[in-house]
Amino acid sequence: DAGVTQSPTHLIKTRGQHVTLRCSPISGHKSVSWYQQVLGQGPQFIFQYYEKEERGRGNFPDRFSARQFPNYSSELNVNALLLGDSALYLCASSFTNTFVGELFFGEGSRLTVL
Amino acid sequence: AQSVTQLGSHVSVSEGALVLLRCNYSSSVPPYLFWYVQYPNQGLQLLLKYTSAATLVKGINGFEAEFKKSETSFHLTKPSAHMSDAAEYFCAVTGGSNTDKLIFGTGTRLQVFP
């Protein structure tokens, strides 16, 4: 079975641009979460979606938005990119919407903002 | 509010030696605690989790962790290090109910020398 897949794996943007990151969860998983991992730090929670509804939001500005589609895939959008947005963006899926279940992480999308 | 503190950003051991990675937590509610491992250029993989059952939790690859409420600790151990254990290790605590929000520590990089 395929794991969590993310695209693109690497991308370079300039300040002020917009970026869309995509995530396909494991088949059967209905929850998708997004995390930002800045170099040298632990992942920081951005969003969680379950059954196409937002179930949690971290301490990120409104430039960050996300959505989940009927097939449970998800997009993370970041507008007006800043240098500080350079990071590895991780998507994780799970069967339920609670922490009791295991989170399965993708390999991430590495964003560089110049 | 929940948080975790990982003591030591880098730990070096010889192959065959004991591995001890430290994690202390702070939580206003009974915590669920996790250890994740991240190999270079990969996503995170769950090693083990504590969910208020047995205080000694066994995980994959020979790792285990003991939940000690009196010390607010959840240290990760492995009796004998292997070269393949070299990776970044993250301790995490749940951020609340009905969400997949995990609060991660800053990570500990484990180096294993032959």
Side-chain angles (χ1 to χ4, degrees):
Chain A
D1 286 342
V4 177
T5 57
Q6 295 187 242
S7 64
T9 55
H10 295 80
L11 68 165
I12 299 174
K13 295 283 188 179
T14 57
R15 283 177 294 175
Q17 286 189 312
H18 163 272
V19 68
T20 297
L21 307 178
R22 296 176 175 82
C23 172
S24 293
I26 291 172
S27 178
H29 285 191
K30 301 179 179 180
S31 174
V32 170
S33 302
W34 288 94
Y35 288 79
Q36 180 197 63
Q37 186 178 17
V38 174
L39 193 62
Q41 297 183 21
Q44 299 288 318
F45 174 77
I46 309 175
F47 286 109
Q48 187 216 349
Y49 277 78
Y50 179 74
E51 289 282 16
K52 302 179 288 294
E53 292 187 0
E54 183 182 300
R55 292 302 182 95
R57 173 186 285 257
N59 188 24
F60 280 81
D62 292 343
R63 299 184 296 107
F64 288 76
S65 64
R67 56 179 174 168
Q68 187 176 33
F69 299 99
N71 66 352
Y72 302 111
S73 67
S74 178
E75 282 184 354
L76 176 69
N77 294 282
V78 186
N79 293 322
L81 286 168
L82 303 175
L83 296 180
D85 296 331
S86 295
L88 180 68
Y89 288 85
L90 294 165
C91 174
S93 76
S94 64
F95 182 72
T96 68
N97 66 328
T98 69
F99 48 74
V100 175
E102 177 179 349
L103 283 184
F104 294 83
F105 283 84
E107 295 191 353
S109 294
R110 185 166 296 281
L111 170 65
T112 301
V113 181
L114 302 177
Chain B
Q2 287 80 9
S3 66
V4 290
T5 301
Q6 292 185 242
L7 300 177
S9 58
H10 290 81
V11 171
S12 297
V13 300
S14 299
E15 192 173 21
L18 171 72
V19 175
L20 171 60
L21 304 182
R22 301 178 185 273
C23 173
N24 288 88
Y25 71 90
S26 174
S27 178
S28 56
V29 297
Y32 283 21
L33 293 158
F34 306 78
W35 276 99
Y36 280 84
V37 60
Q38 186 176 34
Y39 298 101
N41 301 314
Q42 293 188 24
L44 283 76
Q45 180 183 10
L46 179 67
L47 276 177
L48 50 81
K49 64 180 179 182
Y50 167 75
T51 57
S52 74
T55 56
L56 182 62
V57 182
K58 295 187 182 296
I60 62 172
N61 302 337
F63 284 93
E64 62 181 36
E66 186 172 7
F67 174 73
K68 292 187 176 180
K69 184 177 180 180
S70 61
E71 299 178 6
T72 61
S73 69
F74 190 58
H75 302 331
L76 182 70
T77 60
K78 182 174 181 177
S80 177
H82 192 272
M83 297 294 290
S84 62
D85 294 327
E88 187 91 20
Y89 291 81
F90 293 95
C91 182
V93 66
T94 51
S97 61
N98 296 321
T99 171
D100 279 339
K101 177 181 179 180
L102 287 177
I103 298 171
F104 286 87
T106 52
T108 298
R109 181 165 298 278
L110 175 66
Q111 287 185 303
V112 182
F113 293 101

